[in-house]
PDB file of all heavy atoms in Angstrom:
ATOM      1  N   GLN A  56       0.841  -6.589  -4.062  1.00  0.00           N
ATOM      2  CA  GLN A  56      -0.037  -6.189  -5.130  1.00  0.00           C
ATOM      3  C   GLN A  56      -1.319  -6.999  -5.026  1.00  0.00           C
ATOM      4  O   GLN A  56      -2.450  -6.611  -5.097  1.00  0.00           O
ATOM      5  CB  GLN A  56       0.545  -6.253  -6.425  1.00  0.00           C
ATOM      6  CG  GLN A  56       1.543  -5.178  -6.665  1.00  0.00           C
ATOM      7  CD  GLN A  56       2.018  -4.862  -8.085  1.00  0.00           C
ATOM      8  OE1 GLN A  56       1.106  -4.347  -8.837  1.00  0.00           O
ATOM      9  NE2 GLN A  56       3.140  -5.310  -8.612  1.00  0.00           N
ATOM     10  N   GLY A  57      -1.080  -8.382  -4.925  1.00  0.00           N
ATOM     11  CA  GLY A  57      -2.220  -9.301  -4.832  1.00  0.00           C
ATOM     12  C   GLY A  57      -3.016  -9.183  -3.476  1.00  0.00           C
ATOM     13  O   GLY A  57      -4.206  -9.144  -3.483  1.00  0.00           O
ATOM     14  N   TRP A  58      -2.201  -8.856  -2.472  1.00  0.00           N
ATOM     15  CA  TRP A  58      -2.819  -8.710  -1.109  1.00  0.00           C
ATOM     16  C   TRP A  58      -3.719  -7.388  -1.077  1.00  0.00           C
ATOM     17  O   TRP A  58      -4.940  -7.454  -0.700  1.00  0.00           O
ATOM     18  CB  TRP A  58      -1.737  -8.448  -0.050  1.00  0.00           C
ATOM     19  CG  TRP A  58      -2.068  -8.595   1.325  1.00  0.00           C
ATOM     20  CD1 TRP A  58      -1.934  -9.730   2.109  1.00  0.00           C
ATOM     21  CD2 TRP A  58      -2.657  -7.598   2.126  1.00  0.00           C
ATOM     22  NE1 TRP A  58      -2.382  -9.562   3.492  1.00  0.00           N
ATOM     23  CE2 TRP A  58      -2.846  -8.203   3.510  1.00  0.00           C
ATOM     24  CE3 TRP A  58      -3.075  -6.299   1.958  1.00  0.00           C
ATOM     25  CZ2 TRP A  58      -3.424  -7.509   4.509  1.00  0.00           C
ATOM     26  CZ3 TRP A  58      -3.575  -5.586   2.982  1.00  0.00           C
ATOM     27  CH2 TRP A  58      -3.780  -6.095   4.251  1.00  0.00           C
ATOM     28  N   PHE A  59      -3.171  -6.374  -1.745  1.00  0.00           N
ATOM     29  CA  PHE A  59      -4.047  -5.112  -1.742  1.00  0.00           C
ATOM     30  C   PHE A  59      -5.243  -5.313  -2.740  1.00  0.00           C
ATOM     31  O   PHE A  59      -6.309  -4.831  -2.329  1.00  0.00           O
ATOM     32  CB  PHE A  59      -3.190  -3.935  -2.351  1.00  0.00           C
ATOM     33  CG  PHE A  59      -2.129  -3.522  -1.504  1.00  0.00           C
ATOM     34  CD1 PHE A  59      -0.852  -3.032  -2.056  1.00  0.00           C
ATOM     35  CD2 PHE A  59      -2.127  -3.609  -0.104  1.00  0.00           C
ATOM     36  CE1 PHE A  59       0.200  -2.653  -1.290  1.00  0.00           C
ATOM     37  CE2 PHE A  59      -1.049  -3.180   0.736  1.00  0.00           C
ATOM     38  CZ  PHE A  59       0.143  -2.692   0.095  1.00  0.00           C
ATOM     39  N   ALA A  60      -5.098  -6.036  -3.763  1.00  0.00           N
ATOM     40  CA  ALA A  60      -6.187  -6.350  -4.662  1.00  0.00           C
ATOM     41  C   ALA A  60      -7.323  -7.067  -3.945  1.00  0.00           C
ATOM     42  O   ALA A  60      -8.559  -6.992  -4.204  1.00  0.00           O
ATOM     43  CB  ALA A  60      -5.811  -7.129  -5.923  1.00  0.00           C
ATOM     44  N   ALA A  61      -6.892  -7.910  -2.895  1.00  0.00           N
ATOM     45  CA  ALA A  61      -7.902  -8.756  -2.252  1.00  0.00           C
ATOM     46  C   ALA A  61      -8.554  -8.028  -1.153  1.00  0.00           C
ATOM     47  O   ALA A  61      -9.687  -8.352  -0.719  1.00  0.00           O
ATOM     48  CB  ALA A  61      -7.137 -10.015  -1.621  1.00  0.00           C
ATOM     49  N   VAL A  62      -7.921  -7.004  -0.466  1.00  0.00           N
ATOM     50  CA  VAL A  62      -8.463  -6.442   0.783  1.00  0.00           C
ATOM     51  C   VAL A  62      -8.897  -5.009   0.467  1.00  0.00           C
ATOM     52  O   VAL A  62      -9.881  -4.634   1.149  1.00  0.00           O
ATOM     53  CB  VAL A  62      -7.287  -6.392   1.822  1.00  0.00           C
ATOM     54  CG1 VAL A  62      -7.765  -5.566   3.126  1.00  0.00           C
ATOM     55  CG2 VAL A  62      -6.940  -7.816   2.179  1.00  0.00           C
ATOM     56  N   VAL A  63      -8.260  -4.236  -0.349  1.00  0.00           N
ATOM     57  CA  VAL A  63      -8.362  -2.715  -0.184  1.00  0.00           C
ATOM     58  C   VAL A  63      -9.802  -2.245  -0.731  1.00  0.00           C
ATOM     59  O   VAL A  63     -10.257  -1.222  -0.358  1.00  0.00           O
ATOM     60  CB  VAL A  63      -7.283  -2.043  -0.899  1.00  0.00           C
ATOM     61  CG1 VAL A  63      -7.512  -0.491  -1.093  1.00  0.00           C
ATOM     62  CG2 VAL A  63      -6.005  -2.338  -0.188  1.00  0.00           C
ATOM     63  N   ALA A  64     -10.444  -3.119  -1.636  1.00  0.00           N
ATOM     64  CA  ALA A  64     -11.778  -2.749  -2.038  1.00  0.00           C
ATOM     65  C   ALA A  64     -12.752  -2.509  -0.853  1.00  0.00           C
ATOM     66  O   ALA A  64     -13.833  -1.848  -0.881  1.00  0.00           O
ATOM     67  CB  ALA A  64     -12.327  -3.831  -3.117  1.00  0.00           C
ATOM     68  N   GLU A  65     -12.409  -3.184   0.292  1.00  0.00           N
ATOM     69  CA  GLU A  65     -13.271  -3.114   1.475  1.00  0.00           C
ATOM     70  C   GLU A  65     -12.700  -2.016   2.492  1.00  0.00           C
ATOM     71  O   GLU A  65     -13.261  -1.839   3.666  1.00  0.00           O
ATOM     72  CB  GLU A  65     -13.281  -4.437   2.252  1.00  0.00           C
ATOM     73  CG  GLU A  65     -13.860  -5.717   1.339  1.00  0.00           C
ATOM     74  CD  GLU A  65     -15.343  -5.393   1.081  1.00  0.00           C
ATOM     75  OE1 GLU A  65     -16.052  -4.522   1.632  1.00  0.00           O
ATOM     76  OE2 GLU A  65     -15.808  -6.232   0.385  1.00  0.00           O
ATOM     77  N   VAL A  66     -11.645  -1.283   2.104  1.00  0.00           N
ATOM     78  CA  VAL A  66     -11.033  -0.265   2.914  1.00  0.00           C
ATOM     79  C   VAL A  66     -11.525   1.097   2.544  1.00  0.00           C
ATOM     80  O   VAL A  66     -11.361   1.550   1.442  1.00  0.00           O
ATOM     81  CB  VAL A  66      -9.530  -0.364   2.864  1.00  0.00           C
ATOM     82  CG1 VAL A  66      -8.817   0.784   3.595  1.00  0.00           C
ATOM     83  CG2 VAL A  66      -8.949  -1.618   3.273  1.00  0.00           C
ATOM     84  N   ASP A  67     -12.093   1.784   3.527  1.00  0.00           N
ATOM     85  CA  ASP A  67     -12.515   3.269   3.216  1.00  0.00           C
ATOM     86  C   ASP A  67     -11.511   4.258   3.451  1.00  0.00           C
ATOM     87  O   ASP A  67     -11.426   5.172   2.672  1.00  0.00           O
ATOM     88  CB  ASP A  67     -13.796   3.429   4.170  1.00  0.00           C
ATOM     89  CG  ASP A  67     -14.959   2.544   3.976  1.00  0.00           C
ATOM     90  OD1 ASP A  67     -15.288   2.353   2.786  1.00  0.00           O
ATOM     91  OD2 ASP A  67     -15.481   2.123   4.903  1.00  0.00           O
ATOM     92  N   VAL A  68     -10.741   4.209   4.437  1.00  0.00           N
ATOM     93  CA  VAL A  68      -9.629   5.118   4.727  1.00  0.00           C
ATOM     94  C   VAL A  68      -8.298   4.396   4.861  1.00  0.00           C
ATOM     95  O   VAL A  68      -8.230   3.354   5.777  1.00  0.00           O
ATOM     96  CB  VAL A  68      -9.895   5.921   6.097  1.00  0.00           C
ATOM     97  CG1 VAL A  68      -8.828   6.866   6.350  1.00  0.00           C
ATOM     98  CG2 VAL A  68     -11.198   6.605   6.019  1.00  0.00           C
ATOM     99  N   TRP A  69      -7.371   4.690   4.083  1.00  0.00           N
ATOM    100  CA  TRP A  69      -5.995   4.056   3.973  1.00  0.00           C
ATOM    101  C   TRP A  69      -4.907   5.052   4.270  1.00  0.00           C
ATOM    102  O   TRP A  69      -4.794   5.989   3.508  1.00  0.00           O
ATOM    103  CB  TRP A  69      -5.909   3.349   2.645  1.00  0.00           C
ATOM    104  CG  TRP A  69      -4.752   2.392   2.591  1.00  0.00           C
ATOM    105  CD1 TRP A  69      -3.995   1.900   3.586  1.00  0.00           C
ATOM    106  CD2 TRP A  69      -4.349   1.738   1.273  1.00  0.00           C
ATOM    107  NE1 TRP A  69      -3.131   0.992   2.914  1.00  0.00           N
ATOM    108  CE2 TRP A  69      -3.288   0.902   1.608  1.00  0.00           C
ATOM    109  CE3 TRP A  69      -4.803   1.739  -0.038  1.00  0.00           C
ATOM    110  CZ2 TRP A  69      -2.728   0.157   0.606  1.00  0.00           C
ATOM    111  CZ3 TRP A  69      -4.144   0.980  -1.050  1.00  0.00           C
ATOM    112  CH2 TRP A  69      -3.186   0.174  -0.601  1.00  0.00           C
ATOM    113  N   SER A  70      -4.133   4.823   5.321  1.00  0.00           N
ATOM    114  CA  SER A  70      -3.274   5.887   5.818  1.00  0.00           C
ATOM    115  C   SER A  70      -1.827   5.387   6.029  1.00  0.00           C
ATOM    116  O   SER A  70      -1.175   5.556   7.119  1.00  0.00           O
ATOM    117  CB  SER A  70      -3.746   6.588   7.118  1.00  0.00           C
ATOM    118  OG  SER A  70      -3.904   5.460   8.020  1.00  0.00           O
ATOM    119  N   PRO A  71      -1.130   4.817   5.002  1.00  0.00           N
ATOM    120  CA  PRO A  71       0.231   4.398   5.208  1.00  0.00           C
ATOM    121  C   PRO A  71       1.217   5.549   4.951  1.00  0.00           C
ATOM    122  O   PRO A  71       0.843   6.679   4.603  1.00  0.00           O
ATOM    123  CB  PRO A  71       0.359   3.229   4.117  1.00  0.00           C
ATOM    124  CG  PRO A  71      -0.351   3.776   2.987  1.00  0.00           C
ATOM    125  CD  PRO A  71      -1.619   4.477   3.692  1.00  0.00           C
ATOM    126  N   SER A  72       2.513   5.221   5.191  1.00  0.00           N
ATOM    127  CA  SER A  72       3.550   6.242   4.795  1.00  0.00           C
ATOM    128  C   SER A  72       4.077   5.831   3.439  1.00  0.00           C
ATOM    129  O   SER A  72       3.919   4.663   2.917  1.00  0.00           O
ATOM    130  CB  SER A  72       4.677   6.136   5.762  1.00  0.00           C
ATOM    131  OG  SER A  72       5.442   4.868   5.757  1.00  0.00           O
ATOM    132  N   TRP A  73       4.801   6.735   2.850  1.00  0.00           N
ATOM    133  CA  TRP A  73       5.556   6.416   1.580  1.00  0.00           C
ATOM    134  C   TRP A  73       6.560   5.281   1.757  1.00  0.00           C
ATOM    135  O   TRP A  73       6.482   4.421   0.944  1.00  0.00           O
ATOM    136  CB  TRP A  73       6.322   7.581   1.128  1.00  0.00           C
ATOM    137  CG  TRP A  73       7.259   7.508   0.017  1.00  0.00           C
ATOM    138  CD1 TRP A  73       8.638   7.259  -0.002  1.00  0.00           C
ATOM    139  CD2 TRP A  73       6.863   7.455  -1.466  1.00  0.00           C
ATOM    140  NE1 TRP A  73       9.035   7.115  -1.325  1.00  0.00           N
ATOM    141  CE2 TRP A  73       8.026   7.249  -2.135  1.00  0.00           C
ATOM    142  CE3 TRP A  73       5.471   7.652  -2.074  1.00  0.00           C
ATOM    143  CZ2 TRP A  73       7.986   7.163  -3.517  1.00  0.00           C
ATOM    144  CZ3 TRP A  73       5.519   7.487  -3.445  1.00  0.00           C
ATOM    145  CH2 TRP A  73       6.699   7.336  -4.226  1.00  0.00           C
ATOM    146  N   ASP A  74       7.279   5.229   2.958  1.00  0.00           N
ATOM    147  CA  ASP A  74       8.142   4.052   3.210  1.00  0.00           C
ATOM    148  C   ASP A  74       7.356   2.803   3.162  1.00  0.00           C
ATOM    149  O   ASP A  74       7.830   1.622   2.699  1.00  0.00           O
ATOM    150  CB  ASP A  74       8.875   4.302   4.381  1.00  0.00           C
ATOM    151  CG  ASP A  74       9.816   3.116   4.751  1.00  0.00           C
ATOM    152  OD1 ASP A  74      10.746   2.908   4.060  1.00  0.00           O
ATOM    153  OD2 ASP A  74       9.478   2.474   5.764  1.00  0.00           O
ATOM    154  N   ASP A  75       6.129   2.718   3.932  1.00  0.00           N
ATOM    155  CA  ASP A  75       5.433   1.587   3.930  1.00  0.00           C
ATOM    156  C   ASP A  75       5.063   1.048   2.654  1.00  0.00           C
ATOM    157  O   ASP A  75       5.246  -0.183   2.280  1.00  0.00           O
ATOM    158  CB  ASP A  75       4.135   1.820   4.742  1.00  0.00           C
ATOM    159  CG  ASP A  75       4.315   2.272   6.169  1.00  0.00           C
ATOM    160  OD1 ASP A  75       5.389   2.010   6.754  1.00  0.00           O
ATOM    161  OD2 ASP A  75       3.346   2.892   6.727  1.00  0.00           O
ATOM    162  N   MET A  76       4.674   1.852   1.706  1.00  0.00           N
ATOM    163  CA  MET A  76       4.181   1.525   0.316  1.00  0.00           C
ATOM    164  C   MET A  76       5.290   1.020  -0.531  1.00  0.00           C
ATOM    165  O   MET A  76       5.263   0.077  -1.210  1.00  0.00           O
ATOM    166  CB  MET A  76       3.370   2.599  -0.234  1.00  0.00           C
ATOM    167  CG  MET A  76       2.026   2.820   0.279  1.00  0.00           C
ATOM    168  SD  MET A  76       0.885   1.465   0.450  1.00  0.00           S
ATOM    169  CE  MET A  76       0.647   1.149  -1.278  1.00  0.00           C
ATOM    170  N   THR A  77       6.443   1.803  -0.548  1.00  0.00           N
ATOM    171  CA  THR A  77       7.502   1.500  -1.366  1.00  0.00           C
ATOM    172  C   THR A  77       8.196   0.215  -1.001  1.00  0.00           C
ATOM    173  O   THR A  77       8.693  -0.571  -1.701  1.00  0.00           O
ATOM    174  CB  THR A  77       8.527   2.614  -1.425  1.00  0.00           C
ATOM    175  OG1 THR A  77       8.901   3.056  -0.176  1.00  0.00           O
ATOM    176  CG2 THR A  77       7.912   3.910  -2.104  1.00  0.00           C
ATOM    177  N   SER A  78       8.338  -0.008   0.314  1.00  0.00           N
ATOM    178  CA  SER A  78       8.968  -1.254   0.898  1.00  0.00           C
ATOM    179  C   SER A  78       8.080  -2.412   0.524  1.00  0.00           C
ATOM    180  O   SER A  78       8.522  -3.554   0.235  1.00  0.00           O
ATOM    181  CB  SER A  78       9.150  -1.186   2.402  1.00  0.00           C
ATOM    182  OG  SER A  78       8.074  -1.190   3.103  1.00  0.00           O
ATOM    183  N   ALA A  79       6.825  -2.348   0.539  1.00  0.00           N
ATOM    184  CA  ALA A  79       5.883  -3.385   0.168  1.00  0.00           C
ATOM    185  C   ALA A  79       5.956  -3.690  -1.343  1.00  0.00           C
ATOM    186  O   ALA A  79       5.916  -4.825  -1.722  1.00  0.00           O
ATOM    187  CB  ALA A  79       4.428  -3.075   0.477  1.00  0.00           C
ATOM    188  N   LEU A  80       5.836  -2.655  -2.218  1.00  0.00           N
ATOM    189  CA  LEU A  80       5.828  -2.903  -3.508  1.00  0.00           C
ATOM    190  C   LEU A  80       7.157  -2.883  -4.305  1.00  0.00           C
ATOM    191  O   LEU A  80       7.247  -3.050  -5.523  1.00  0.00           O
ATOM    192  CB  LEU A  80       5.066  -1.647  -4.216  1.00  0.00           C
ATOM    193  CG  LEU A  80       3.646  -1.546  -3.710  1.00  0.00           C
ATOM    194  CD1 LEU A  80       2.972  -0.258  -4.167  1.00  0.00           C
ATOM    195  CD2 LEU A  80       2.750  -2.816  -4.266  1.00  0.00           C
ATOM    196  N   GLY A  81       8.301  -2.759  -3.529  1.00  0.00           N
ATOM    197  CA  GLY A  81       9.534  -2.780  -4.194  1.00  0.00           C
ATOM    198  C   GLY A  81       9.921  -1.655  -5.080  1.00  0.00           C
ATOM    199  O   GLY A  81      10.664  -1.727  -6.037  1.00  0.00           O
ATOM    200  N   VAL A  82       9.391  -0.443  -4.597  1.00  0.00           N
ATOM    201  CA  VAL A  82       9.647   0.723  -5.432  1.00  0.00           C
ATOM    202  C   VAL A  82      10.909   1.458  -4.727  1.00  0.00           C
ATOM    203  O   VAL A  82      10.921   1.704  -3.566  1.00  0.00           O
ATOM    204  CB  VAL A  82       8.417   1.676  -5.397  1.00  0.00           C
ATOM    205  CG1 VAL A  82       8.681   3.024  -6.003  1.00  0.00           C
ATOM    206  CG2 VAL A  82       7.327   0.977  -6.119  1.00  0.00           C
ATOM    207  N   ASN A  83      11.732   1.918  -5.597  1.00  0.00           N
ATOM    208  CA  ASN A  83      13.008   2.696  -5.175  1.00  0.00           C
ATOM    209  C   ASN A  83      12.829   4.055  -5.730  1.00  0.00           C
ATOM    210  O   ASN A  83      13.344   4.385  -6.929  1.00  0.00           O
ATOM    211  CB  ASN A  83      14.148   1.978  -5.705  1.00  0.00           C
ATOM    212  CG  ASN A  83      15.451   2.735  -5.114  1.00  0.00           C
ATOM    213  OD1 ASN A  83      15.424   3.583  -4.151  1.00  0.00           O
ATOM    214  ND2 ASN A  83      16.626   2.422  -5.617  1.00  0.00           N
ATOM    215  N   ALA A  84      12.163   5.040  -5.038  1.00  0.00           N
ATOM    216  CA  ALA A  84      11.966   6.342  -5.471  1.00  0.00           C
ATOM    217  C   ALA A  84      11.858   7.317  -4.327  1.00  0.00           C
ATOM    218  O   ALA A  84      11.443   6.884  -3.170  1.00  0.00           O
ATOM    219  CB  ALA A  84      10.710   6.423  -6.339  1.00  0.00           C
ATOM    220  N   SER A  85      12.139   8.622  -4.570  1.00  0.00           N
ATOM    221  CA  SER A  85      12.011   9.612  -3.560  1.00  0.00           C
ATOM    222  C   SER A  85      10.506  10.078  -3.503  1.00  0.00           C
ATOM    223  O   SER A  85       9.894  10.104  -4.539  1.00  0.00           O
ATOM    224  CB  SER A  85      12.912  10.829  -3.784  1.00  0.00           C
ATOM    225  OG  SER A  85      14.217  10.346  -3.659  1.00  0.00           O
TER     226      SER A  85
END
C-alpha cells in the first residue's frame, strides 16, 4: 500500500492481474 502510494501517481496505465493485486495486498477474495 505504501509502495503504490509512492509510485502509482506517476503511472498512466496499470495492468496487473487480480492475483497480482490480491497477493500484494493480502486480500482473500474471488
Side-chain angles (χ1 to χ4, degrees):
Q56 292 197 70
W58 196 98
F59 295 147
V62 173
V63 174
E65 303 291 353
V66 173
D67 298 316
V68 180
W69 192 8
S70 57
S72 71
W73 173 259
D74 177 70
D75 298 338
M76 292 302 299
T77 55
S78 64
L80 297 173
V82 173
N83 184 15
S85 298

